[in-house]
């Protein structure tokens, strides 16, 4: 994976998608929900910057069943978009950030409506530490450098 001519990450498609090495890679290969700062501390109980893919999140009515050991966070369901095989849920967490969840249709999940109080539920091993944000480095590492020409035209 390249970013502005620089290698961001080398790996298989699965490695790059499941374990992105930077915020750029996480966003480039699909939607990734990011939790940073106070929200990461409140939701995950740890400092840093973390991502979780929408398909790794489940949406359940608030107070609904949550498997033992699963992590969860409460919020308001602000958008529900039926997209054929999946439904896209947008949840504004009480801790602040807006997260997106994708759930496969026909899975027997409860029908949820906009405005409902819900819990987002996930397995802890699906949370990805995002190095660029966690280390405080900018995604655009070369923003302060003058651009170098790709080629120098031949001048007679």
């Amino acid at each position: 994976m390249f970013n502005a001519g620089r290698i961001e990450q080398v790996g298989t498609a699965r490695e790059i998608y499941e374990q992105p090495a930077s915020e750029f890679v996480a966003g480039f290969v699909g939607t990734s929900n990011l939790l940073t700062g106070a929200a990461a501390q409140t939701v995950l109980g740890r400092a840093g910057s973390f991502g979780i893919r929408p398909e790794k999140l489940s949406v359940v009515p608030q107070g609904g069943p949550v498997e033992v050991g699963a992590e969860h966070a409460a919020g308001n369901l602000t958008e529900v978009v039926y997209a054929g095989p999946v439904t896209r849920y947008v949840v504004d967490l009480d801790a602040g950030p807006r997260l997106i969840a994708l759930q496969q249709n026909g899975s027997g999940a409860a029908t949820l409506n906009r405005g409902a109080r819900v819990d987002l539920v996930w397995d802890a091993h699906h949370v990805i530490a995002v190095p660029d944000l966690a280390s405080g480095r900018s995604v655009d590492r070369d923003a302060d450098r003058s651009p170098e020409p790709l080629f120098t035209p031949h001048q007679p």
Side-chain angles (χ1 to χ4, degrees), residues 51-135:
I52 187 165
R53 298 287 185 187
E55 68 276 8
K56 305 295 186 186
L57 296 169
S58 296
V59 183
V60 298
Q62 190 168 42
V66 175
E67 289 185 31
V68 175
E71 296 191 31
H72 58 93
N76 291 311
L77 185 57
T78 59
E79 190 176 319
V80 178
V81 179
Y82 177 83
V86 297
T87 296
R88 178 180 180 261
Y89 296 100
V90 178
V91 178
D92 287 341
L93 294 181
D94 294 348
R98 174 173 279 187
L99 300 185
I100 296 170
L102 292 177
Q103 285 189 208
Q104 187 170 5
N105 291 326
S107 63
T111 302
L112 299 168
N113 295 312
R114 191 175 176 183
R117 290 289 296 163
V118 297
D119 285 324
L120 283 180
V121 181
W122 65 92
D123 289 329
H125 70 275
H126 288 135
V127 176
I128 305 162
V130 181
D132 281 338
L133 294 175
S135 69

Side-chain angles (χ1 to χ4, degrees), residues 135-154:
S135 69
R137 290 183 298 153
S138 169
V139 172
D140 184 1
R141 294 176 192 86
D142 298 323
D144 57 341
R145 291 183 38 201
S146 299
E148 298 175 18
L150 296 176
F151 67 93
T152 304
H154 176 70

Side-chain angles (χ1 to χ4, degrees), residues 5 8 24 42 50-51 95 109 115 128 149 154:
E8 283 281 328
F24 172 81
T42 301
F50 306 90
I128 305 162
H154 176 70

